[in-house]
Amino acid sequence: MKVTRTAQKINMDNIVDISVDVHKDTLCFFFEIDGAEFSYTCSNRTTIIEKRLISYRDIALEHGRKGLRIICEPTGQFQNKLMRTARRLGFFTNYVNAESVAKFRVVESNDNNKTDKKDPRVINTLGKLNKVIRFRMIGEKYLMLRKLHKICDECDVAITSHRCRISKLLVELFCDYSFKKDFLYSNSGLALVAQYGCNPYRIVDDGYQIFCRKMRKAAPRIMSRTLERLWEDANSSVLNVLPPGYVQVLEQYLYDRLDDYFNVLERKEKITEQMVEILEKLRLDDPLIPPPTPHVISEKNLARLLAETGPLSDFANWRKLMRYAGLNLKTRQSGTYQGQNKISKKGRKLLRKVLQAIVLPLVKKGRLYGEFYHKKKDETKMPGNKAMTIVARHLLKKIFGWYRSGEAFDERRFFTCQSRYETMAKAA
């Protein structure tokens, strides 16, 4: 039996649309009621917003209306006070797409001028046409999860930045250092930092025997050829003859950079643990959330994914989830011209980033998407980034179906349509 959810429709004839152009310090209101127009500008401050919305509710009640719907563009964080106050007072809330406002402004006024008086009118017209976006209230746990994931992503960016700066600093301090960038963060590399601060002049001053003894004591499993290579790199680097005071500054800066790197790394690990704890609490409220599955998705990645999607129960079907992620397809066709299908990239950028990180290990040969991915690349000569996008779309759709089914992961079902799977099950 197929169950279809039908959204409850609201009679908007009894609701007054209040369109708002949001700025950092001010709000520009506009609405129409029974042929009369009302516009007002006030400070973007919670107490003032509350008084203004209550006064507009009183006007709506005087004209026989039952409530208000607040419509605005998402502008970073500046619209939050308005929308939260509106929801607290019991009003409806919706967003309008900023791109739609910009394009419709030209349609409505036949020019591309932008003013604080014009934008609320354009937003009001879009509201009348019901070209609005739902304002989601995702609950405390999902809010915490989303914010922690944002901080975690900032840590990832900071980690990359620190590693790039450390690599650049090594080029200056240890100019003939010939190892790859990951070596410095291994046990042998960290021993080099602890004993010599990656300073080739200190290495050469100690001599080869003392250098080997110190390094073997700090990293017992270091290989002899690694020690020989480091010694050769150090002897080559000292030929540049940098001033001792300048070398000391570079060495101290390297220590500081590495401290910052490891502090951010530790912070990221703690945040990840918090996200996993919140996910465990979410499972108590929603047992349909899939469990971590080896070689498919880990607990950490599942927490990251749900941080960006919010409750999967909010989406009526997988197509709406795809639009939310910005992975829905857009087409360009006119007459005999047929353009390429591309993803819209209009949804949550961080959700797409998480999906790419999840599918990256899954496309290796022998893994879940190995055959699927390499068939696209090798047989159809598809570019790798396009094939990765197809895999990301497929995985998001499957995770949504996995959630809705509430069943355990079944790899046989993963790449098989429902009718064929049922036929195979009966035959078995």
Side-chain angles (χ1 to χ4, degrees):
M1 181 178 67
K2 183 177 179 181
V3 179
T4 305
R5 299 195 326 176
T6 305
Q8 184 179 2
K9 295 185 178 180
I10 301 169
N11 183 8
M12 299 308 297
D13 294 335
N14 293 324
I15 303 297
V16 178
D17 283 343
I18 309 293
S19 55
V20 190
D21 189 26
V22 179
H23 302 275
K24 178 181 178 181
D25 299 316
T26 58
L27 301 175
C28 301
F29 292 88
F30 174 82
F31 66 98
E32 296 176 319
I33 185 167
D34 293 341
E37 293 183 352
F38 298 83
S39 60
Y40 188 80
T41 301
C42 72
S43 298
N44 191 359
R45 189 174 176 84
T46 305
T47 52
I48 297 174
I49 293 170
E50 184 174 356
K51 291 178 182 177
R52 184 53 45 189
L53 292 181
I54 290 173
S55 67
Y56 291 158
R57 180 191 61 189
D58 294 339
I59 294 173
L61 292 174
E62 290 174 4
H63 287 78
R65 304 301 196 275
K66 293 184 178 180
L68 306 178
R69 179 172 68 164
I70 313 302
I71 309 174
C72 70
E73 298 175 81
T75 55
Q77 299 294 322
F78 301 132
Q79 83 285 352
N80 285 342
K81 287 181 280 188
L82 170 68
M83 302 302 264
R84 288 170 183 163
T85 303
R87 292 302 288 259
R88 178 165 53 84
L89 294 174
F91 304 142
F92 298 107
T93 50
N94 280 114
Y95 284 136
V96 285
N97 188 291
E99 185 180 4
S100 300
V101 173
K103 292 181 177 179
F104 202 81
R105 189 189 302 125
V106 179
V107 174
E108 187 180 60
S109 58
N110 204 29
D111 61 54
N112 57 2
N113 296 329
K114 183 186 186 314
T115 66
D116 292 341
K117 291 183 178 180
K118 181 184 289 187
D119 281 359
R121 291 177 176 270
V122 176
I123 294 171
N124 188 263
T125 307
L126 287 169
K128 290 178 181 177
L129 296 172
N130 205 31
K131 303 298 182 182
V132 294
I133 303 170
R134 180 186 173 191
F135 175 75
R136 293 181 75 197
M137 300 290 287
I138 61 175
E140 181 184 11
K141 293 186 182 70
Y142 277 103
L143 275 175
M144 292 169 62
L145 196 63
R146 179 166 291 184
K147 191 62 179 179
L148 285 170
H149 184 236
K150 178 65 176 175
I151 300 170
C152 185
D153 183 66
E154 290 172 357
C155 288
D156 279 333
V157 174
I159 287 169
T160 304
S161 176
H162 285 311
R163 289 184 65 133
C164 289
R165 289 177 180 272
I166 290 168
S167 297
K168 188 176 180 181
L169 189 57
L170 265 179
V171 171
E172 196 171 4
L173 174 63
F174 199 161
C175 58
D176 286 323
Y177 177 83
S178 62
F179 292 81
K180 292 184 178 180
K181 57 185 179 181
D182 290 334
F183 173 78
L184 189 65
Y185 307 96
S186 66
N187 290 335
S188 300
L190 294 175
L192 182 67
V193 173
Q195 297 297 321
Y196 292 100
C198 292
N199 185 341
Y201 299 91
R202 289 174 55 191
I203 294 173
V204 173
D205 288 345
D206 266 359
Y208 183 69
Q209 297 299 328
I210 296 176
F211 166 67
C212 290
R213 193 182 312 126
K214 285 184 176 180
M215 289 295 292
R216 289 189 187 282
K217 185 177 180 181
R221 300 183 66 181
I222 190 170
M223 301 177 71
S224 297
R225 63 171 177 263
T226 301
L227 291 171
E228 293 172 3
R229 184 173 163 188
L230 283 169
W231 176 254
E232 291 174 2
D233 292 347
N235 277 279
S236 179
S237 297
V238 298
L239 297 177
N240 287 271
V241 195
L242 292 175
Y246 186 64
V247 172
Q248 188 176 0
V249 171
L250 292 176
E251 184 180 339
Q252 184 58 51
Y253 189 43
L254 179 66
Y255 280 126
D256 294 341
R257 276 290 172 190
L258 283 167
D259 285 342
D260 293 341
Y261 167 77
F262 286 113
N263 286 337
V264 176
L265 204 62
E266 185 180 358
R267 189 183 313 134
K268 180 189 172 184
E269 290 175 359
K270 289 180 179 178
I271 291 169
T272 303
E273 290 174 2
Q274 286 181 267
M275 291 175 65
V276 171
E277 289 175 4
I278 293 172
L279 179 58
E280 292 173 357
K281 294 177 182 177
L282 285 171
R283 280 203 178 92
L284 299 176
D285 301 328
D286 188 357
L288 291 178
I289 294 175
T293 304
H295 309 301
V296 181
I297 190 167
S298 64
E299 190 83 330
K300 181 187 76 173
N301 283 335
L302 195 58
R304 294 177 66 196
L305 184 71
L306 291 177
E308 294 306 311
T309 62
L312 291 174
S313 57
D314 285 355
F315 300 95
N317 53 63
W318 65 269
R319 291 180 180 83
K320 291 188 176 181
L321 178 58
M322 209 68 71
R323 287 181 65 86
Y324 188 74
L327 289 173
N328 57 303
L329 298 179
K330 63 176 183 179
T331 59
R332 293 181 64 86
Q333 185 271 331
S334 178
T336 58
Y337 171 76
Q338 182 66 50
Q340 292 183 344
N341 291 338
K342 297 181 179 180
I343 59 172
S344 67
K345 294 187 180 181
K346 299 295 183 184
R348 294 191 66 83
K349 181 179 179 180
L350 199 49
L351 176 52
R352 297 195 298 274
K353 182 178 178 181
V354 170
L355 281 168
Q356 291 288 338
I358 293 172
V359 301
L360 184 60
L362 300 182
V363 298
K364 295 179 181 179
K365 290 184 178 180
R367 299 296 294 272
L368 181 64
Y369 278 103
E371 183 180 354
F372 181 86
Y373 172 78
H374 288 283
K375 185 176 180 180
K376 296 243 177 235
K377 278 196 67 180
D378 299 338
E379 295 184 12
T380 64
K381 305 301 180 183
M382 183 179 290
N385 58 345
K386 187 174 181 180
M388 286 289 286
T389 301
I390 291 174
V391 173
R393 277 175 49 86
H394 188 271
L395 179 66
L396 184 61
K397 179 181 176 180
K398 291 298 182 180
I399 288 176
F400 181 76
W402 188 9
Y403 168 82
R404 293 290 290 271
S405 70
E407 298 177 1
F409 177 79
D410 185 354
E411 190 170 347
R412 295 177 303 166
R413 177 74 178 86
F414 203 76
F415 295 101
T416 308
C417 66
Q418 184 174 356
S419 59
R420 185 181 175 190
Y421 178 76
E422 290 174 351
T423 303
M424 290 169 59
K426 290 178 181 178

